[in-house]
Amino acid sequence: MKTDRLDAPRVALGVSGGIAAYKACELLRRFTESGHQVTVVPTAAALHFVGEATWAALSGRPAAVETWENVHEVPHVRIGQQADLVVVAPATADLLAKAAHGLADDLLTNTLLTARCPVVFAPAMHTEMWEHPATQENVATLRRRGAVVLEPAVGRLTGVDTGKGRLPDPGAIFEACRRVLARGVREPDLTGKHVVISAGGTREPLDPVRYLGNHSSGKQGYALAATAAARGARVTLLSANATLPDPAGVDVVHVSTALELREAALKACADADAVVMAAAVADFRPAEYATGKIKKKDGVDPAPVALVRNPDILAELSAHRARPGQLVVGFAAETDEVLANGRAKLARKGCDLLVVNEVGGGKAFGQDVNAAVLLGADGTETEIPEGPKETLAETVWDAVVARLG
Ligand code: C5P
């Protein structure tokens, strides 16, 4: 049996009855190995997939299975009341329905009703079940009440079928929970909002093997996506060539060129409350695309590469807001005259907020930390000292929330 540190965050890990229950073992390991105190609350159906002994061994404490066991300790209210975080992974369609309607016919649903801490649901089910209006309404109800319901991942389901409904990767669920825990019981202030974020760097092909690209890793855009999901937003992440794992609960659209990014952005922004263009978009693309690999010829200098301008997506989104009040945020990487160039760019692009980074000399690109100044079209100027990209992301969302009202 484990001896827990008194200050160890207390997590109630609910597991409902889906095949993805076995992946909750990996999630549990991540919690315990990083010093969390976890009580596993499996439903009766979950125990068909993974037995009580596994949960007890991995958590270092008995699994909380029965409402009628240890009644003197009042487990049906105690676990929820004492938890710093309740996470249900996997959350089946049935569990989501019970939670949305406040049913309390087992220990897990009792725990959900008594919890006053943040609650995260990581759904897993077949695509048809996820898309059913009943499930979608239940998810909307839970989100409206402040729970964080992660979007399921797309991929292979139980059998041969594939689609949306896979449990997000346990590592990604863990990261989402860590972020929610760090925020504490603050209201998820982006609940009901749809935010679109671009991340990474575009690639403009010259021929089938070569492209013009840039050094953007996508880390800042991914941090924006993960933090927005933790604050309750529905998130669409337009990922341009980033090789990072999909953040849990986020709809990821993969694109490569600036033209593809523009098309995806216009589509996703149609009903967005806010859009953050964190991607490094190539200003130019080769005028010609060679369908075969361009060969070198002995004694002949290569022909210069002619370039044409790419559309400025940020300027276009700012000029033609898809809905009234839609907030547009840009990023600017500058090497000198950072603030003056940033102010000029904010005016030129017509966006509401601009995050100005100083780059070059190993700064920002590919790093886990970033420093910036957040400029507002209303004249505000917020210094963001060097820190994790998540911290910068939170500051951007604070500014967005303040302006969305
Ligand atoms: O003009 P500059 O490339 O410095 O502007 C950077 C900002 O504009 C970023 O938010 C980037 O995503 C966006 N951008 C764009 N379309 C382009 C070039 C940049 O949306 N063609």
Side-chain angles (χ1 to χ4, degrees):
M1 189 74 57
K2 272 201 179 101
T3 342
D4 296 302
R5 284 196 357 247
L6 282 177
D7 58 348
R10 278 169 299 200
V11 176
L13 169 60
V15 185
S16 57
I19 181 66
Y22 78 93
K23 294 189 190 165
C25 298
E26 166 71 17
L27 177 62
L28 171 55
R29 264 217 112 90
R30 287 187 186 244
F31 276 122
T32 52
E33 281 173 8
S34 52
H36 298 77
Q37 205 184 116
V38 189
T39 302
V40 184
V41 191
T43 62
L47 293 173
H48 286 296
F49 293 98
V50 179
E52 206 174 325
T54 302
W55 301 122
L58 289 179
S59 66
R61 58 185 56 236
V65 177
E66 268 291 340
T67 316
W68 303 109
E69 248 171 33
N70 303 322
V71 174
H72 63 287
E73 289 176 2
V74 207
H76 76 287
V77 293
R78 188 185 44 82
I79 298 170
Q81 283 174 340
Q82 293 183 348
D84 297 304
L85 175 82
V86 178
V87 48
V88 186
T92 58
D94 179 62
L95 187 281
L96 293 173
K98 284 181 173 161
H101 291 86
L103 297 187
D105 60 357
D106 65 5
L107 198 50
L108 177 53
T109 44
N110 272 285
T111 299
L112 286 166
L113 270 190
T114 49
R116 292 295 173 270
C117 59
V119 178
V120 176
F121 292 94
M125 64 198 73
H126 276 83
T127 311
E128 294 83 350
M129 289 181 154
W130 173 253
E131 288 175 349
H132 196 285
T135 305
Q136 286 303 306
E137 277 172 33
N138 291 332
V139 168
T141 301
L142 292 167
R143 283 183 174 150
R144 202 177 51 251
R145 289 191 199 131
V148 172
V149 185
L150 302 175
E151 287 289 312
V154 176
R156 182 87 189 264
L157 302 172
T158 321
V160 287
D161 41 352
T162 59
K164 188 162 182 174
R166 244 172 100 83
L167 186 75
D169 176 67
I173 302 175
F174 175 70
E175 281 308 314
C177 290
R178 224 170 40 88
R179 248 164 234 138
V180 172
L181 255 175
R183 280 182 59 73
V185 281
R186 280 164 68 190
E187 282 289 302
D189 50 9
L190 285 169
T191 298
K193 306 288 184 208
H194 178 207
V195 302
V196 176
I197 299 146
S198 71
T202 64
R203 290 181 183 174
E204 311 300 324
L206 268 166
D207 70 16
V209 292
R210 304 182 180 96
Y211 59 82
L212 299 179
N214 59 67
H215 289 300
S216 178
S217 63
K219 284 182 179 173
Q220 185 61 67
Y222 274 60
L224 280 156
T227 46
R231 291 169 79 147
R234 175 161 75 85
V235 183
T236 306
L237 176 62
L238 311 174
S239 173
N241 308 299
T243 51
L244 301 164
D246 290 357
V250 165
D251 268 326
V252 185
V253 180
H254 292 277
V255 295
S256 187
T257 66
L259 292 181
E260 286 168 12
L261 177 57
R262 174 180 176 272
E263 199 180 314
L266 292 177
K267 189 167 167 220
C269 286
D271 70 344
D273 297 282
V275 48
V276 183
M277 286 290 297
V281 186
D283 291 319
F284 307 100
R285 66 180 183 278
E288 302 274 347
Y289 172 72
T291 50
K293 185 179 170 191
I294 301 167
K295 301 273 189 227
K296 57 179 171 290
K297 295 192 188 96
D298 283 345
V300 181
D301 285 340
V305 176
L307 300 173
V308 290
R309 254 199 128 87
N310 270 330
D312 190 318
I313 308 166
L314 178 63
E316 186 177 347
L317 293 175
S318 302
H320 308 285
R321 313 272 169 147
R323 57 193 282 190
Q326 185 178 67
L327 214 82
V328 183
V329 185
F331 269 70
E334 300 291 340
T335 52
D336 52 342
E337 303 273 2
V338 176
L339 273 188
N341 284 335
R343 274 266 161 235
K345 190 164 287 184
L346 177 69
R348 208 164 52 241
K349 303 265 187 182
C351 50
D352 303 291
L353 290 162
L354 191 77
V355 183
V356 190
N357 278 143
E358 191 176 339
V359 293
K363 280 191 190 144
F365 281 130
Q367 305 292 307
D368 292 322
V369 292
N370 207 350
V373 180
L374 179 61
L375 302 177
D378 49 8
T380 51
E381 202 169 297
T382 313
E383 176 103 36
I384 309 172
E386 184 169 279
K389 288 185 169 173
E390 281 78 12
T391 308
L392 187 146
E394 297 283 11
T395 309
V396 171
W397 294 127
D398 289 344
V400 167
V401 167
R403 282 163 178 80
L404 284 178

